[in-house]
Amino acid sequence: MKVKHLAICLAISSFTLHLSAAVNPKNGGANHKSTTVAPAVEGWYFRAVSGYPAAIAFEPVVLFKNGEYFDIGDEPLETLDVAASKSSRPKAWGTWKKNGATFLLTNNEGKSHDYKLGAGNWFPAYAYTGSVKLKKGYEKVSGGDYGNGTNALVIKKISFIDDTHFAEGSNGGVMTPGATAWKKTGFKGGTYKVYGNTIELNYGSKVIKKSFAFGATGSPAHPTNTMIFIGGDAYTDTE
């Protein structure tokens, strides 16, 4: 009887330890999980920022209902691993709140900036629904004056040949007081499809998904195909 009683006690003790490990986050139990899926979205916007060497640039921003914001980059929300993103791109994350018509964004360093629709620094961004069509050609121009007579210019181009085919390429150069260098990358392409805030580029051997949004125009604001955002970069039409 003593042996049987001891076996029962050991079994109960083992079950208790197993249950404790399953519910105790400190022990790496089942409830210790990192957030990987993007939170519910409050809205998409883009903001005007000043920087060097370019005088001004536009950056897409996603506001989440949980009070966080994200400077969205290359990866679309549908494949975003939030925990991994916060580790690799901590400066892309922050918090936001709205006071009246003003949006107050606080970055990961605790610095706050306020934005307001209609003030020229904050605009709505829109998903692709099919009601607004893409134009044939877009380009992204970057670079500027780096001082000491050095100037750089990079032009990335993408053409939507029809409803399913695209081609892309780039030109770039550096000019100094003593020399000039220029490089042109030949066009490559494949097929594409756009849905919501995602664009899929199929190069044949691989498919790359990137974030996507339309810019805004008018008052009241509405989607425009004269500016689009691909992978966090602003492109303007070439027509």
Side-chain angles (χ1 to χ4, degrees), residues 50-79:
S50 58
Y52 176 83
I56 192 169
F58 295 105
E59 297 178 348
V61 181
V62 181
L63 304 185
F64 296 113
K65 290 183 181 293
N66 67 355
E68 292 182 304
Y69 79 79
F70 177 49
D71 290 332
I72 192 159
D74 210 43
E75 189 175 7
L77 286 185
E78 67 176 78
T79 60

Side-chain angles (χ1 to χ4, degrees), residues 122-145:
W122 187 250
F123 313 87
Y126 299 91
Y128 181 88
T129 63
S131 59
V132 178
K133 301 297 183 181
L134 291 169
K135 290 199 170 188
K136 294 294 184 182
Y138 293 89
E139 65 181 16
K140 175 186 181 296
V141 180
S142 59
D145 185 352

